[in-house]
Amino acid sequence: MCAATEGRWGRKQRALLCCMLVAAWEAAWGQLRYSVPEELPKGSFVGDVAKDLALQLAALRDRGARVVSADRTQYFALHANSGHLVTAERLDREQLCEGVQRCVLRCEVIVEGEMKVYRIEVEITDINDNAPSFRETEKELRMSEMTAPGSRFSLSKAHDPDVGVNALQSYEVSGDEHFSLSVQAGADGEKRPELVLAKALDREEAAFHELVLRAMDGGEPSRTGTARIRVSVLDANDNAPVFSQAVYAVRVPEDVPVGSTLVTLTATDADDGLNGDVKYSFKEISTKASKVLDLDPKTGSIRMLRSLDFEEGDSYEIEVQAHDSGELFHTATVSISVTDVNDNAPEISVRSALNEISEDAPSGTVVALLHVQDRDSGANGEVRCSVVESVPFRLERALDNYYSVVTARELDREEVSEYNVTVWASDGGSPSLRSSAVLALRVLDVNDNAPVFAEARYSARLPENNAEGALVLTVRAWDADWGQNARVRYRLAEGRVRGAPLSSYVSVQAETGALYALRSFDYEEVREVGLWVRAEDGGAPALSSNVSVRLLIVDENDNAPQVLYPPAAAAGAGWTGVELAPRSAEPGALVAKVVAVDADAGQNAWLSYELAKATEPGLFRVGLHSGEVRTARSPLARDAPRHSLVVVVKDQGRPALSATATLTVVLAEGVAELLSELGSAAAPAEPAGSLTRWLVLAVAAVSCLFLAFLLLLLALRLRRWRRSQLLPPASGALRGVPASHFVGIDGVRAFLHSYSHEVSLTADSRKSQRRWAADSCCNTLPARPPPDKAAPLLGEDAAGARGAPPDALPNEFDLLLEEEEELQKEAYRLCAVSQGNVPRRRVNGDRRCRECSAGRRLRAPLFTTEERRGRSGALQLASPATARLARSLYRRPCGLRVAPRYGDELQRVGRAGESRRRRGLSQSGMEAGAEARA
């Protein structure tokens, strides 16, 4: 016995273990089952969902959870604080599950944050809340008195919506001994009451019999329902109507039009007269079928009162009765099967959905949970779901009829900021029906785009002398992001301009990108400013980009021309200068050159020269672009010796700026005449105010030098005269020296004049243009060969000259003459090379100089015959005077200043010749003294 007890205990444990395993398996797969009785009040406890699904209450409260069902009515609710599933309203099993033995309601619990769904089944158990009831509470039966005992008469069944033990269990009849009750069990298990005639009727005894039919269920306490039956006893009618078929089976589609005849019943009665008149009626019909079907009592046609719906009922089974006037009848069964028609489109319900998603969400992120169903059956109820291919989303099956909408790839808000995802559901019917649901999803921005400037580089032109704070230009950058991530701020990159920080020159407005100049620019100091502007967005971390800005300073005409020559005499005074023009000058001869520059650039630095004022308007002219002052005609004897020229130098700016230069041109044939003219004009010039203090000082200095020169010249001549008196009259020491070796002031001035060039200077071109004088070939001293017969020297006796032998000169003096001739040839070569018209390899003596007019003029005797014969010491004074005059004229800007190297060579030649002459003359003088003493 103990063994048997242990065996039973082991079986119980195994059963309990199996139940626990099944419950654990169902919980693991997200499916729970609960059972509650019907008629519970609203808010009644159903089950602890949080505990059974192992969900955290904090997660439920934070993320949110809700209960959804396929029905339009929500019968359950979930308390987020406790995790309990409770009833949302009163549950009536008979209303929810009419005619169903097991009533199960299904719902789903959706956890919003996790995008998970759990299925819950709640079984509604029946309670005995309904009593059995008859469709007809009063029924009248007509029986012939000829009815044989044992005859059976079908009675209306009682209906009890409850199930199980609470359903209808038994019938009983009371009231008369002529009748008894028989209960038959049908094929479907239903109990059908039948009235059995237990004793023959006799109309004469009782024309009516009153019976009470009672139906009872098995509930605790038991509930009953009653119906009253009145039996009328009739005269004999021996033939009952007969149906042509015992069962009428009909298949009709659910889209049959209202009013259509489904089937026509046919019953015949062999009796004649009123006993053969057949009437049709429903003997047994459900409430649902009575709302849909109607039977014509005369014709037996069953037609539709309203449209059929396969989803509400797929079949109807009713019992019909045909009876005659004698109350004889016959029953038949009508079975109507409804076939499904694809008349219901799929239904899409959005159980859970996100309204916004970040653009950096990974692929596969769930954005919505959908439930799809089709009320049709078979192929008509098979649903296929899809989304359009143009959106980055796809569908994944989650649970039975649930689908998840997930991202197919990473999103980009800059391409699409909002999505309207259309989900299509189509069934398998023909033709297919489909429906759609639209999910609106906004993409949240992430700072993944750096600002982009509208231009690859910026450049602007800013006039110089701008106002401080002037707007230069505005840079613009756009950020494809949104909100704070798209807010762009600007700032300057670090840099320096002329050693100063860039921020001291320009600034940028952080919000608008406007670039302002903080100081006034000067084109002559800064011509271009290069900088970088950085645009940075407001994201975290911030993204930035740079753009180069080139600021070009535009020159304005803010600098007047500056005259370099003639130089300024004093601060605040006008320009002045003194130039020498020979009275024998031909028209177009160069007198002077006004040299000016302008610190501006371009057109503002283009200079033009005009002769604004002149003592003799028609005598001189000024080159418009060169600034050369030339003779317009040959000077006349009536022309004044001193001329004042005012030259205006203008630039091409708007407005034009100008400067003036004052030149004093003296018509004279030599420096002595020039100095005497300046000396005579200096006294009245001071009161008139035309000459400045520096000009007065210069004239005084030149006068002093000239007086000193005259005194020195006079002393030298007296010394030579005295020495010539000491030499013997027959001395022929200087015989044979050609007169062409004596070079005067005019020759040196002509030689230096040949070195004046045309010079054009600009401040911006960085180039200087030089043009040699067109009318100068090689104004150099000609190398005249020694004459066949030596010319007599100054102070030389004619007789002595005729009597002196040709070889009377000492050998040293011959060498001196040869060296001087070589030095003179070297001077010719330097002059020709400086003019640029004779190549170096072709310069040999004065071969080319003989062909030009200047050369012919220079070959003329520079001293008259009287001057050569006047004194014998003229040879000694020629070379020193030539050298001193060359050095004095070299200092003048219009002389050899433009070619200093050749001027230095000329001075070297003069100094070398002078030293050699001194050595030769001193030696010859010593020999002559020795002969005299002897």
Side-chain angles (χ1 to χ4, degrees), residues 38 94 126-135 157-163 165-170 214-219 221-226:
E38 64 174 332
E94 288 74 29
D126 183 53
I127 64 173
N128 192 22
D129 58 340
N130 293 282
S133 61
F134 291 92
R135 186 169 176 269
K157 295 186 299 182
H159 176 69
D160 193 340
D162 296 330
V163 295
V165 296
N166 297 324
L168 179 65
Q169 298 295 324
S170 61
R214 183 178 290 107
M216 296 169 291
D217 60 21
S222 177
R223 292 177 178 268
T224 61
T226 60

Side-chain angles (χ1 to χ4, degrees), residues 1 133 143 186 233 284 296 362 373 421 462 606 723 801 856:
M1 182 175 181
S133 61
M143 297 181 186
V233 181
E284 189 68 32
D296 190 338
Q373 67 174 2
V421 183
L462 178 66
W606 296 351
R723 182 177 296 179
R856 288 193 298 270

Side-chain angles (χ1 to χ4, degrees), residues 412-434:
D412 189 354
R413 193 207 64 83
E414 289 68 40
E415 293 181 359
V416 181
S417 61
E418 291 184 358
Y419 288 96
N420 290 324
V421 183
T422 304
V423 181
W424 290 96
S426 58
D427 57 23
S430 179
S432 177
L433 299 179
R434 69 173 186 169

Side-chain angles (χ1 to χ4, degrees), residues 213-421:
L213 179 63
R214 183 178 290 107
M216 296 169 291
D217 60 21
E220 290 292 339
S222 177
R223 292 177 178 268
T224 61
T226 60
R228 300 180 64 85
I229 301 175
R230 180 184 176 88
V231 179
S232 300
V233 181
L234 303 177
D235 288 336
N237 183 16
D238 54 354
N239 291 296
V242 178
F243 280 101
S244 60
Q245 299 178 19
V247 177
Y248 291 87
V250 181
R251 291 179 62 86
V252 294
E254 62 175 330
D255 59 349
V256 174
V258 176
S260 300
T261 301
L262 302 181
V263 63
T264 301
L265 305 177
T266 303
T268 59
D269 194 328
D271 293 330
D272 292 332
L274 295 176
N275 293 329
D277 190 9
V278 180
K279 301 293 182 180
Y280 301 93
S281 62
F282 288 120
K283 181 181 181 183
E284 189 68 32
I285 186 171
S286 63
T287 304
K288 183 188 301 184
S290 64
K291 296 178 181 180
V292 177
L293 304 176
D294 178 60
L295 177 61
D296 190 338
K298 293 183 178 182
T299 62
S301 299
I302 299 177
R303 58 187 181 87
M304 294 177 55
L305 295 177
R306 62 181 181 89
S307 60
L308 298 174
D309 191 350
F310 176 82
E311 289 71 34
E312 293 182 359
D314 58 352
S315 65
Y316 298 93
E317 188 170 341
I318 57 178
E319 291 184 3
V320 294
Q321 179 178 281
H323 56 87
D324 57 15
S325 59
E327 296 302 324
L328 296 179
F329 59 89
H330 188 227
T331 60
T333 302
V334 178
S335 178
I336 301 175
S337 299
V338 181
T339 59
D340 184 41
V341 175
N342 190 24
D343 59 343
N344 292 283
E347 297 178 359
I348 303 177
S349 301
V350 181
R351 300 303 194 200
S352 180
L354 298 178
N355 294 326
E356 53 191 25
I357 184 174
S358 177
E359 65 176 323
D360 60 349
S363 177
T365 302
V366 180
V367 298
L369 193 62
L370 307 178
H371 178 264
V372 182
Q373 67 174 2
D374 195 321
R375 299 179 61 190
D376 295 326
S377 61
N380 297 332
E382 296 179 357
V383 181
R384 297 182 300 274
C385 295
S386 63
V387 295
V388 293
E389 298 180 355
S390 60
V391 295
F393 299 95
R394 68 175 186 273
L395 286 176
E396 292 182 354
R397 198 176 189 92
L399 179 67
D400 292 342
N401 295 331
Y402 278 87
Y403 291 87
S404 298
V405 180
V406 300
T407 57
R409 55 178 173 83
E410 291 186 356
L411 306 178
D412 189 354
R413 193 207 64 83
E414 289 68 40
E415 293 181 359
V416 181
S417 61
E418 291 184 358
Y419 288 96
N420 290 324
V421 183

Side-chain angles (χ1 to χ4, degrees), residues 60-135:
L60 290 178
R61 287 192 297 269
D62 296 340
R63 299 175 181 174
R66 57 192 178 93
V67 177
V68 295
S69 63
D71 297 330
R72 293 181 175 86
T73 304
Q74 299 293 330
Y75 298 103
F76 302 98
L78 183 65
H79 284 173
N81 295 330
S82 62
H84 293 171
L85 183 68
V86 298
T87 58
E89 61 180 27
R90 188 181 67 86
L91 302 178
D92 187 356
R93 182 188 179 282
E94 288 74 29
Q95 183 180 359
L96 297 175
C97 306
E98 181 181 1
V100 179
Q101 290 293 327
R102 186 171 180 269
C103 182
V104 177
L105 296 181
R106 295 176 176 83
C107 61
E108 292 84 21
V109 175
I110 297 177
V111 181
E112 298 287 353
E114 298 179 358
M115 285 293 176
K116 292 184 179 180
V117 58
Y118 303 94
R119 171 166 292 176
I120 298 177
E121 292 183 357
V122 180
E123 182 180 0
I124 310 301
T125 60
D126 183 53
I127 64 173
N128 192 22
D129 58 340
N130 293 282
S133 61
F134 291 92
R135 186 169 176 269

Side-chain angles (χ1 to χ4, degrees), residues 503-688:
S503 58
S504 64
Y505 282 84
V506 292
S507 67
V508 64
Q509 215 283 332
E511 298 294 337
T512 63
L515 199 67
Y516 296 96
L518 297 181
R519 63 169 61 181
S520 179
F521 286 91
D522 189 355
Y523 176 82
E524 287 71 36
E525 295 181 358
V526 179
R527 298 193 176 186
E528 179 179 342
V529 177
L531 53 96
W532 289 86
V533 177
R534 173 171 295 177
E536 189 175 85
D537 59 25
L543 301 178
S544 62
S545 60
N546 299 327
V547 69
S548 64
V549 179
R550 184 185 181 194
L551 182 59
L552 301 176
I553 309 303
V554 180
D555 181 51
E556 288 190 346
N557 193 24
D558 58 344
N559 292 280
Q562 181 181 2
V563 178
L564 301 180
Y565 183 82
W575 300 96
T576 184
V578 179
E579 295 294 336
L580 175 64
R583 285 187 173 273
S584 60
E586 298 178 356
L590 179 64
V591 176
K593 181 179 178 68
V594 178
V595 180
V597 295
D598 197 318
D600 295 323
Q603 184 176 355
N604 296 330
W606 296 351
L607 302 180
S608 61
Y609 302 86
E610 298 178 2
L611 185 59
K613 182 179 180 181
T615 305
E616 186 67 32
L619 181 57
F620 299 98
R621 59 181 173 86
V622 178
L624 179 63
H625 300 292
S626 63
E628 294 178 347
V629 179
R630 296 179 179 271
T631 56
R633 57 177 175 81
S634 298
L636 303 177
R638 59 181 174 82
D639 292 333
R642 182 173 177 272
H643 295 266
S644 177
L645 306 180
V646 178
V647 179
V648 177
V649 183
K650 293 183 179 180
D651 55 24
Q652 302 300 317
R654 293 183 179 180
L657 301 179
S658 62
T660 59
T662 303
L663 290 173
T664 301
V665 180
V666 178
L667 299 178
E669 292 296 338
V671 176
E673 185 178 354
L674 168 66
L675 295 179
S676 66
E677 178 64 29
L678 291 178
S680 61
E686 183 67 25

Side-chain angles (χ1 to χ4, degrees), residues 563-899:
V563 178
L564 301 180
Y565 183 82
W575 300 96
T576 184
V578 179
E579 295 294 336
L580 175 64
R583 285 187 173 273
S584 60
E586 298 178 356
L590 179 64
V591 176
K593 181 179 178 68
V594 178
V595 180
V597 295
D598 197 318
D600 295 323
Q603 184 176 355
N604 296 330
W606 296 351
L607 302 180
S608 61
Y609 302 86
E610 298 178 2
L611 185 59
K613 182 179 180 181
T615 305
E616 186 67 32
L619 181 57
F620 299 98
R621 59 181 173 86
V622 178
L624 179 63
H625 300 292
S626 63
E628 294 178 347
V629 179
R630 296 179 179 271
T631 56
R633 57 177 175 81
S634 298
L636 303 177
R638 59 181 174 82
D639 292 333
R642 182 173 177 272
H643 295 266
S644 177
L645 306 180
V646 178
V647 179
V648 177
V649 183
K650 293 183 179 180
D651 55 24
Q652 302 300 317
R654 293 183 179 180
L657 301 179
S658 62
T660 59
T662 303
L663 290 173
T664 301
V665 180
V666 178
L667 299 178
E669 292 296 338
V671 176
E673 185 178 354
L674 168 66
L675 295 179
S676 66
E677 178 64 29
L678 291 178
S680 61
E686 183 67 25
S690 61
L691 295 178
T692 63
R693 180 181 57 184
W694 295 106
L695 181 59
V696 173
L697 294 177
V699 172
V702 172
S703 301
C704 294
L705 291 175
F706 180 70
L707 293 176
F709 173 73
L710 292 179
L711 294 175
L712 180 61
L713 181 61
L714 181 60
L716 291 176
R717 289 192 174 232
L718 290 176
R719 180 182 177 187
R720 290 179 182 177
W721 175 78
R722 183 177 180 184
R723 182 177 296 179
S724 63
Q725 295 297 326
L726 296 176
L727 291 177
S731 176
L734 300 180
R735 183 179 293 113
V737 179
S740 62
H741 284 216
F742 297 97
V743 181
I745 296 176
D746 294 337
V748 176
R749 181 178 57 80
F751 177 77
L752 296 176
H753 181 70
S754 65
Y755 280 90
S756 61
H757 312 293
E758 296 180 4
V759 181
S760 299
L761 302 175
T762 62
D764 186 54
S765 62
R766 298 184 179 90
K767 294 182 180 179
S768 299
Q769 299 180 359
R770 181 175 61 188
R771 186 175 64 185
W772 307 103
D775 59 346
S776 177
C777 176
C778 55
N779 298 336
T780 60
L781 297 176
R784 181 178 296 175
D788 296 336
K789 183 177 181 180
L793 297 177
L794 298 175
E796 183 179 355
D797 185 30
R802 288 192 302 267
D807 54 355
L809 296 175
N811 293 333
E812 290 81 4
F813 191 76
D814 293 337
L815 294 176
L816 176 63
L817 295 178
E818 292 177 1
E819 291 179 2
E820 185 172 0
E821 184 177 1
E822 292 297 329
L823 291 174
Q824 199 170 30
K825 289 182 179 182
E826 180 67 15
Y828 301 154
R829 186 183 68 82
L830 292 176
C831 175
V833 172
S834 66
Q835 295 294 326
N837 53 6
V838 179
R840 279 182 190 272
R841 61 179 182 271
R842 299 186 60 183
V843 174
N844 186 9
D846 62 339
R847 185 177 65 178
R848 295 296 299 267
C849 296
R850 296 173 185 272
E851 301 174 3
C852 62
S853 59
R856 288 193 298 270
R857 289 198 303 271
L858 292 177
R859 285 196 299 273
L862 300 178
F863 289 138
T864 61
T865 304
E866 290 77 7
E867 290 175 346
R868 289 200 302 271
R869 292 178 180 178
R871 297 172 185 265
S872 61
L875 180 60
Q876 300 178 5
L877 297 177
S879 293
T882 301
R884 285 193 299 272
L885 186 58
R887 284 194 295 272
S888 64
L889 294 180
Y890 166 70
R891 296 188 182 95
R892 297 172 57 198
C894 61
L896 296 177
R897 189 171 184 177
V898 294

